[in-house]
Amino acid sequence: MGSRSDERTGLLYGFAAYGLWGILPLYWHLLESTNPAEVLAHRMVWSLPTALVLLAVLRRWAWIRPLLRQPKRLGLVAVAATAISMNWGLFIWSVSVGRVLESSLGYFINPLVSIAFGVLLLRERLRPAQWAAVGIGTVAVAVLSIGYGQVPWLSIALALCFATYGLVKKRILLDGVDSFSAETAVQFVPAMGFLLYLGATGEGSFVSGGPGHALLLAVSGLVTAVPLIFFGSAAVRLPLSTIGLLQYVAPALMFILGLLVFHEEMPPERWAGFVLVWIALCVLTWDALRTRRRAREELRRAAARAEESATAATRGRATAAASSPAPASSPAPSSSPASSTAASPASAEASPSSHPCPKQ
């Protein structure tokens, strides 16, 4: 019962995270006049105070000391912080230069990259449908390369960064708020150093851009924290296959924004590439759902067989116990006349039956 409740909670967190990520280009578009590197640095810096406030409200400090005593996990936190920082920077830059559609493609192909990670890093064996999806995705990248006139490196880089981030978070084993706080603590020092440099050289826009601009930059911590915390909470409650299915929500919303709100170009060859990617994802989704249904059926059959075996064993023990003869009681030893005669006087005196009471 607890696992089902955790899965439902994880699904809610997952839909919230990917839904907010899907509409995030609208927010970054408001800061398109600012250097993307400065926006990224502000995002890192303002995320740490947000995380500290959340930790104080929730009173979640107990995880810090054990984490500091485990260098391996600290290293994984640093890797996760680096991966998500690269993802953030590329995405902010893509919005500022009008490449939201290409960014959406990166998140569309992320499940295919996760499968590649499973084969190359975890030695997983692919099913035929998964191989077909990877093949279709490869063809899609080739078609898009023709359409863009170059390899869609932005899409591939975004997918690699985020797939790495998801893989590492599964090994860190920290909940959403804890993981976010640890990662922002790693990001804070270099980001603050960069902002101080911009301020010293007069290239920063936090003060010169006006109060509204400063407020937008400061809110970036909250904008970052909420979906990332939701994702972290979903990642520890859901299997990787379910996370892969939820990932389609964000790029679908980004695609709609890029096409209908930002009015980016979509020539026929790009449509062809996107359609191939969507076909690959449909194949992947169908295979995942079919495999999951078969696994559940096998578990039910295994549970039924185990129950039948247990019932048969219980009946067999009951039958064996009923059919076995009861052990015979050993006869009492008969006393011989000689032994009766040889009885000691003391025993004779102690036996009331051998000396009846005299009549009064």
Side-chain angles (χ1 to χ4, degrees):
M1 185 70 178
S3 60
R4 290 185 178 180
S5 177
D6 281 346
E7 188 170 352
R8 285 195 295 268
T9 304
L11 285 172
L12 291 176
Y13 280 130
F15 276 114
Y18 287 107
L20 290 174
W21 273 324
I23 63 174
L24 202 53
L26 295 173
Y27 172 75
W28 300 124
H29 185 69
L30 298 175
L31 295 166
E32 64 176 347
S33 60
T34 308
N35 184 355
E38 183 183 358
V39 176
L40 173 63
H42 276 287
R43 186 178 190 181
M44 294 177 179
V45 166
W46 291 105
S47 292
L48 183 59
T50 306
L52 293 177
V53 170
L54 290 172
L55 290 176
V57 171
L58 299 175
R59 298 180 181 180
R60 297 277 291 272
W61 308 103
W63 59 273
I64 298 177
R65 189 169 296 176
L67 178 63
L68 294 176
R69 294 173 180 171
Q70 302 179 50
K72 184 177 180 180
R73 291 181 72 196
L74 283 174
L76 290 175
V77 170
V79 173
T82 302
I84 198 62
S85 298
M86 295 175 63
N87 184 273
W88 288 355
L90 289 170
F91 186 67
I92 293 171
W93 175 81
S94 71
V95 175
S96 66
V97 297
R99 299 174 71 172
V100 175
L101 287 175
E102 194 172 347
S103 293
S104 72
L105 176 64
Y107 292 106
F108 271 127
I109 66 175
N110 185 62
L112 300 176
V113 175
S114 297
I115 290 177
F117 276 13
V119 174
L120 298 176
L121 302 179
L122 305 179
R123 307 284 183 175
E124 295 179 355
R125 298 181 61 184
L126 297 187
R127 296 181 294 273
Q130 290 176 314
W131 278 116
V134 171
I136 297 172
T138 304
V139 174
V141 171
V143 171
L144 288 167
S145 299
I146 298 173
Y148 284 105
Q150 61 180 356
V151 175
W153 64 268
L154 176 61
S155 304
I156 296 174
L158 284 169
L160 287 173
C161 292
F162 203 75
T164 301
Y165 178 67
L167 180 66
V168 174
K169 283 185 72 70
K170 295 290 285 187
R171 297 176 179 271
I172 294 176
L173 298 177
L174 285 177
D175 202 356
V177 177
D178 306 344
S179 179
F180 172 70
S181 303
E183 292 158 15
T184 53
V186 173
Q187 295 171 330
F188 181 82
V189 174
M192 178 58 76
F194 180 69
L195 289 180
L196 291 175
Y197 167 78
L198 291 179
T201 58
E203 298 178 7
S205 65
F206 184 75
V207 177
S208 61
H213 180 76
L215 181 61
L216 278 176
L217 290 173
V219 172
S220 63
L222 186 62
V223 170
T224 299
V226 174
L228 199 60
I229 290 169
F230 287 162
F231 173 76
S233 300
V236 297
R237 290 175 172 87
L238 296 174
L240 197 59
S241 59
T242 305
I243 292 291
L245 295 176
L246 289 174
Q247 288 176 4
Y248 304 154
V249 174
L253 292 174
M254 293 177 195
F255 181 84
I256 293 172
L257 289 177
L259 193 64
L260 302 180
V261 177
F262 301 126
H263 305 291
E264 297 182 13
E265 295 183 0
M266 275 290 288
E269 56 271 18
R270 291 186 188 177
W271 274 110
F274 270 89
V275 168
L276 285 173
V277 169
W278 295 334
I279 292 174
L281 295 178
C282 288
V283 173
L284 199 62
T285 304
W286 169 78
D287 177 71
L289 294 176
R290 183 187 62 170
T291 302
R292 191 172 183 179
R293 184 173 60 251
R294 287 181 176 178
R296 287 180 177 177
E297 292 175 355
E298 290 178 0
L299 283 176
R300 283 196 294 266
R301 286 196 294 266
R305 287 195 297 267
E307 186 177 356
E308 291 175 359
S309 299
T311 303
T314 303
R315 290 176 179 174
R317 287 194 296 269
T319 303
S323 60
S324 59
S329 58
S330 56
S334 59
S335 58
S336 61
S339 62
S340 298
T341 307
S344 63
S347 63
E349 290 176 3
S351 176
S353 58
S354 56
H355 294 280
C357 272
K359 293 181 181 179
Q360 295 284 328

